[in-house]
Amino acid sequence: MTMHGGRRGQAERDAITVEIGYALCSAVFAALVLFGAVAGPALLFDLPRGLERTLPVVGLLLAAVLFLARVVGVLVRFRRPVQPSQPGRTNPDS
């Protein structure tokens, strides 16, 4: 909703759509990199059997947590209201 209680304009809806897309794409990329870093050695090297089974599971769990944290972090940061400029004032409350 806008500051006036009305409906969102097209520019606001477009900005929200772009921000959601950015949040999802950056979260997928970060999760894939983390999963590759954790589970990659189990796929590339001859490790003990227990470690070969554990690393992909741990990588998947960490990637899922990172994905959710990234999406929430980006969208919360986007939602913060912009402080209107107040020329000549150093503190918004003054």
Side-chain angles (χ1 to χ4, degrees), residues 7-94:
R7 300 185 76 123
R8 288 188 173 124
Q10 185 64 39
E12 283 183 271
R13 289 193 306 266
D14 289 346
I16 291 169
T17 301
V18 167
E19 199 65 24
I20 290 170
Y22 168 73
L24 292 174
C25 289
S26 65
V28 166
F29 178 75
L32 285 174
V33 169
L34 179 67
F35 178 77
V38 174
L43 302 173
L44 295 175
F45 302 114
D46 189 25
L47 299 175
R49 186 176 176 103
L51 201 53
E52 280 186 357
R53 289 184 176 185
T54 304
L55 285 178
V57 172
V58 170
L60 187 62
L61 292 174
L62 289 174
V65 169
L66 177 65
F67 176 85
L68 290 174
R70 177 70 181 158
V71 169
V72 169
V74 169
L75 294 180
V76 166
R77 195 173 337 124
F78 176 73
R79 188 173 180 213
R80 287 188 193 146
V82 178
Q83 179 71 29
S85 64
Q86 298 174 351
R89 295 184 180 179
T90 57
N91 187 353
D93 296 332
S94 62

